[in-house]
Amino acid sequence: MNWTLEVIVVPVSDVDRAKAFYADRLGFTVDHDTRVGDVVIVQLTPPGSGCSIVIGKGVGKMAPGSLSGLQLVVNDVRAARTQLLERGVAVGEVLFASHEGFRPAREDDDLNNTGFIFFDDPDGNGWAVQQITSRP
């Protein structure tokens, strides 16, 4: 039996601001935007992902900005950083993960599984982007 992760609720304070960030700045696809009375459910999916996020009003119990450790995977973390910067996302430098911790990446580093960038959404929910070009 497969158990697939389909949706993660991301707590936000302003649904429209968050929708614009995820759709316009990160390039997530808006799957649906449902508004019924006081309940708002917006589902967005990162390009190529089988898992979506839901932002909204009346969904979940977490405080806005309280989620951290969300992780996206790309095949070129340097290109992903450039794209995010071009779209106006405040993103950190490319970091190399080793047994000693994180350090700034050098040009000669093999970033497969070890290259990361980090950013927050407008509410402070924390995201990581990891480069994975092959899996062991």
Side-chain angles (χ1 to χ4, degrees), residues 8-75:
I8 297 171
V9 175
V10 177
V12 299
S13 60
D14 181 323
V15 176
D16 293 325
R17 177 183 71 174
K19 179 183 173 186
F21 175 80
Y22 285 105
D24 300 338
R25 299 218 178 182
L26 297 185
F28 288 20
T29 299
V30 178
D31 301 321
H32 65 82
D33 183 338
T34 305
R35 296 166 191 252
V36 179
D38 288 339
V39 177
V40 179
I41 301 170
V42 181
Q43 181 173 314
L44 304 106
T45 303
S49 180
C51 184
S52 302
I53 65 167
V54 164
I55 59 174
K57 181 178 172 190
V59 297
K61 295 182 180 180
M62 293 179 283
S66 64
L67 194 57
S68 65
L70 296 161
Q71 187 162 318
L72 299 166
V73 172
V74 297
N75 63 5

Side-chain angles (χ1 to χ4, degrees), residues 112-124:
N112 181 43
N113 292 299
T114 60
F116 289 84
I117 54 176
F118 298 91
F119 67 91
D120 291 339
D121 75 5
D123 282 290

Side-chain angles (χ1 to χ4, degrees), residues 75-78 93-116 131 133:
N75 63 5
D76 185 338
V77 73
R78 286 187 172 101
E93 297 296 321
V94 176
L95 300 176
F96 178 85
S98 71
H99 296 295
E100 291 81 37
F102 287 102
R103 65 162 168 76
R106 297 186 294 254
E107 284 301 315
D108 62 339
D109 285 330
D110 177 5
L111 298 178
N112 181 43
N113 292 299
T114 60
F116 289 84
Q131 178 171 315
T133 50

